[in-house]
Every structure is written in C-alpha cells, then in structure tokens.
Amino acid sequence: MHRKRGFSMEKKKARWGWVFVTPSLILFAAFSFYPIINAFYESFFNRNLLSLRPPRFVGWDNYTYLFGSKDFWLSVQNTLIFTLGTFLPLLVLSLVLAVFIMSIKRFRRFFQMAFYSPAVLSSVVAALIWLLIFDPRGLANQGLNALMGTAGVNYNWLSTTGMLRLSTIVVYFWKYIGYFTVIFVSGIGSIPDTLREAALIDGANRWTLFWYVTLPLLKPTTMLVSIMAMIQCLKTFSTQYMFTNAGAPTRPINVITLNIYNTAIKDYRIGRATAMSILLFIVMFAFTWLQLKVSRTEEVSHM
Amino acid sequence: MNAHKTRSWRLEKMATTLIWLFLIVACILVVIPLVFMFTAAAMPARDILRMPYPWIPEGFYWQNFWNGLRGPEGTFIFIRNALNSLIVAGTVSAFTVLFSSLAGYGLAKFEFKGRTLVFMLIMATMMIPFEAIMIPLYMVAMRMGLQDTYTGLILPFLANAFGVFLMRQYLITFPDEILDAARIDGASEPRIFSRIVLPSSGSAVATLAILAFRSQWDSLLWPLLVVQSDEMKTIPLYITKFMAETHSDEGIMMAIAVMASIPMIVLFLTLSKYFINKDGLTSATKG
C-alpha cells in the first residue's frame, strides 16, 4: 500500500520512526542498561562509599561472602516469609471478593472503589497509620481483645518476631487487596455471559458454576495476579523501613531491599550491596519473564 | 418438585445474604484504617490512644494541621517539601507521557529496519527492577553531581517501558488514512504527532499520566538515596524525618498523613476510571 508512493517516501518515513524512538532509547540506555551492566561489574570489586582509594578487584568474594553470611540468609528467609505470607492470602481473598462482587447485582462499583481505596495512599502513609493501630494502646489490640474475649492483653504487634512479621504482612495485604480484586473483577467480566447461562441451564448451582466454569477460565488472570503479587512482595521496602525507623527491631523484618540499602548507605559497602542487587535481579528477572509470557498468552485467550 | 424448588430458592437466598454480609464486613475492615486516619487527624493526641478509641472527634482539633505545616522547627518546610513532590511527580508524569507516546507512535506507525529489535530492547528493560539498579544509579548520580537536585530525582524515571508498550498498543489501531491524508496536505511529522496523534490518545495518556504521578508521589527509596538537605526532601522523606524526630504526637502525624494523601484522594474521586482500569493496574508493578 505504501509502496505506490515511492522509495524516497519510505526512506523518509523510516527516518522519522528513528527520530520518534531515539529519546526513549537514549534514556533506557542510560538509566536501565548501563546501571545493570555496571552493577555486574561493581559486584566484583570491594568499593567503599567513602573511601578515596580505588576499588580493588576481588572476583567472586562478594558472592562467596554473601552465601556464607547468616545475615544475608536471614534476609532471604525474611523476604520469603513475607512474600508467601502476603501473596497467598492476597490471591485467595481477592479472588473470593471478586467472585462475590460479580455475583451481586447492585453496588459493584461501590465495593470495588471501597476495597481499592487503601491503594490510593502512599506506602509511607499506610505504614504511618498502621504504626498507630499497632501501638500497645491502639486499635489492633483493642480489636483482638474484643474478638478473643480477653481484656487488656498486649499482643506485641511491633516487638516480637512473629507478630512483627505478621504486622508488615497485614499492612501490605490491606494496601493491595483491592488492587488485585479489581483485576479479578475485570477478568470475570471478560468471561462471556453465554457460557455462564449455558451452565445455569444445565443445572449448575453457584458452587459448580464457580468451580467448573469461572475458575478454569480465570486461570490466566490467576497466573498474572500471582506473579505480579510475588514481584511486588519481593521488592517490599517502605513498610519495613518505616517500622524499623519507628523503633521496631530490624532483624525479623530485614528484607533483602532493606539489607541492600543499609549495606550501601550505612556500612558503605557498595560491592557487597550490588552483589546482593544482582542476586535479587536474577530472581525477579525470572518472575518478570514469566509474567510477560503469561500476559501474552492471556491476551490471546481473550481474543 | 415444588418443594424442591422452594428449598433451592431458599438456599439461593441464604447464599445471597451471606455474600452481602461477607462483602459488608470486609468493606468495613478495609475502610477502618482510613476512618481512623481522618478522625485521629481531628483529635488531640491524648484522645487518639485512649481505650476504647473514641471514633467521633469532639470538635475539630485544627492545631494538628497547623503544627504539621509548621514542622518541629517552625520553618513550614512541609510546604516546600509538598511542592517538591508536586514538581517531581508532575515533571515525571509529563515527560513520561511525551517520551512514551513518541516512542509508541514511532513503533506503531513507522516501518524501519531494527524496529522489532528496538521494541524488544525496550520491553527487556521491564525485567530490570529498580531495586536491583538503584546502587549503581546512585553512584552515577553522585559522580554527575546530581545529589540534592530536581534533575537527580527526576531523570532516572523519564523513560517508562510500560508506557511505551501502552501507547504502542493504543496507537496501532489508529487509522492510517488520517495520517496519510495529513501528509498529503503537507503537514510535517512532528505536527501530525502533536496535532493529531497526541490529542486523540486521551484515555491512554490519562492512564499513563496518573500512573507515573502516583508512583513518584509514593516513591521513598530513590529520594532517600539522592536527597540530603531538608529543602529538597519530598513528602515521604518529610514523614520519615518527622517520625524519627518527634514520634510522640500522634495527632500531628495523622494530620500530615491526611495532607499527604489529599492530592491522590481528589484524583481518585474525580478520575477513578483511570485508576480502576486494567491497563493501569497490570502496570503499576513497573512504577
């Protein structure tokens, strides 16, 4: 179709294509590709943030140090506990909420907006609110005491290892539950009505309809939500940073990003911090690659 | 047969009631912390940690907001910090839209050698999480003297791979006939982009602009690294500093939380369709 208008027009158009993509390409080269290559490079040196001496090449030392470091493995453990503890309840409950919202006739939009509303706040503000709720005199103790029928028990939300981990999970869960609910709602919304109607005519009840029709058709959305939630959880930083900043013990919630930050900024060990970054990158790379693959198959299945 | 029908009808009705009950209880639980923030902001600190919590403030304790604005040193630095947040989030948002739509348009409507490669390279950057490159980026920013500057806060976020992807998907269906007609009329390519393509990409642009604005408004990690002086702090940094220095007055803390959230709440209530929208949602992980 374009060929009719001749060769020079084609060439001119091609040149304009390059003009349009060049600004972004330069930015990506400078702020994505260069830093990641640089991170690989730096992870083989023992650069100190404050020292003026040139960094010394240390080979795999940073990595062998990390693999032998209790502190690093504790961070890995903390991150895994947080990720699993957050993403599994998130996945299940957001699916349940979405199915429930789609099964009622009125107020669908209202519920979606209400559940989504915490996601509008910044994570720093969310942590701030929950710090007060988890105060020994705060709402968390009041609520749990009322629920358990106890009086004046302090559940130590911000001091004992298990409770502190649970607290960070609660904050995150609260902030993102609506977000994933909305994704599931749009997933259910894209299931053709004819399928549900056919199942209903065949005598399906609510449960069989969910189990044999909705859930299998939601598989791509479920995959997408799982991977997205996991990626989000692996990167968690703000809540843990805010809680430790407010005086909570660091060890139980010293997740990997917090560890990277402290290793670089408080201990000045740039090489060790970048080596940790590279390990995080490899894990997240795998997850993101999966996400891209899954979201592509989802597109196809909806057409 | 009839008895069976009424039984299943009754079951159905019970299920509906339970679903409503579940949704309402869940809704209350999710909203409670928000209600707590707004009510506590209007109370003096001594009321906030009273047991049980008095849900309704006795009058509006405006001193919380005044003291929050004034700051511990009475310098009103919060206003400056809020302005910083607006400047950074606004600039990033505007440039993200510009660069993403330029690249998206170039990839969607122009055939050139290496187009697929360019597209794949840009998509590949989605697999590089910011948390993995922040330390090297920080070293670069230091070397370039970008510490404590707006440029330092803004520059790393101007290009957004998801933005390019979103704009490309949106523009790929844009009718070629309109573009060709404009070309025949003698319009230059930049003019076609700014007068025809950009104005007709409203919803994609709005989704992207809000996404970029939100992620910057929320951003803590990068400003923590780059900013040193109180003057250059953004709102999240102001909050962390305020908390570390004076985490005694809960009323002021909640007043600051409310003030920090107002722009987002206003955006959410007026433009909720761009928040609750699948394109915007599946991307926010890349923020």
Side-chain angles (χ1 to χ4, degrees), chain A residues 62-78:
Chain A
N62 285 322
Y63 292 95
T64 46
Y65 172 85
L66 286 177
F67 287 126
S69 150
K70 273 198 183 126
D71 188 54
F72 171 72
W73 286 112
L74 182 67
S75 285
V76 172
Q77 191 195 338
N78 286 334

Side-chain angles (χ1 to χ4, degrees), chain A residues 203-225:
Chain A
N205 60 26
R206 262 180 216 269
W207 177 249
T208 47
L209 183 71
F210 169 73
W211 196 251
Y212 294 107
V213 179
T214 313
L215 198 59
L217 286 171
L218 272 182
K219 205 179 149 212
T221 314
T222 315
M223 288 287 284
L224 185 72
V225 167

Side-chain angles (χ1 to χ4, degrees), chain B residues 39-97:
Chain B
T39 51
M43 287 178 200
R46 60 176 185 281
D47 284 353
I48 294 173
L49 293 175
R50 223 163 63 192
M51 288 160 71
Y53 178 68
W55 286 98
I56 298 149
E58 303 162 15
F60 185 75
Y61 194 74
W62 56 267
Q63 284 93 325
N64 285 340
F65 288 86
W66 175 249
N67 287 331
L69 282 176
R70 247 182 106 247
E73 285 112 27
T75 48
F76 290 94
I77 197 82
F78 177 80
I79 296 171
R80 171 71 200 265
N81 292 167
L83 219 62
N84 289 342
S85 271
L86 275 178
I87 291 170
V88 171
T91 315
V92 168
S93 178
F95 277 100
T96 300
V97 166

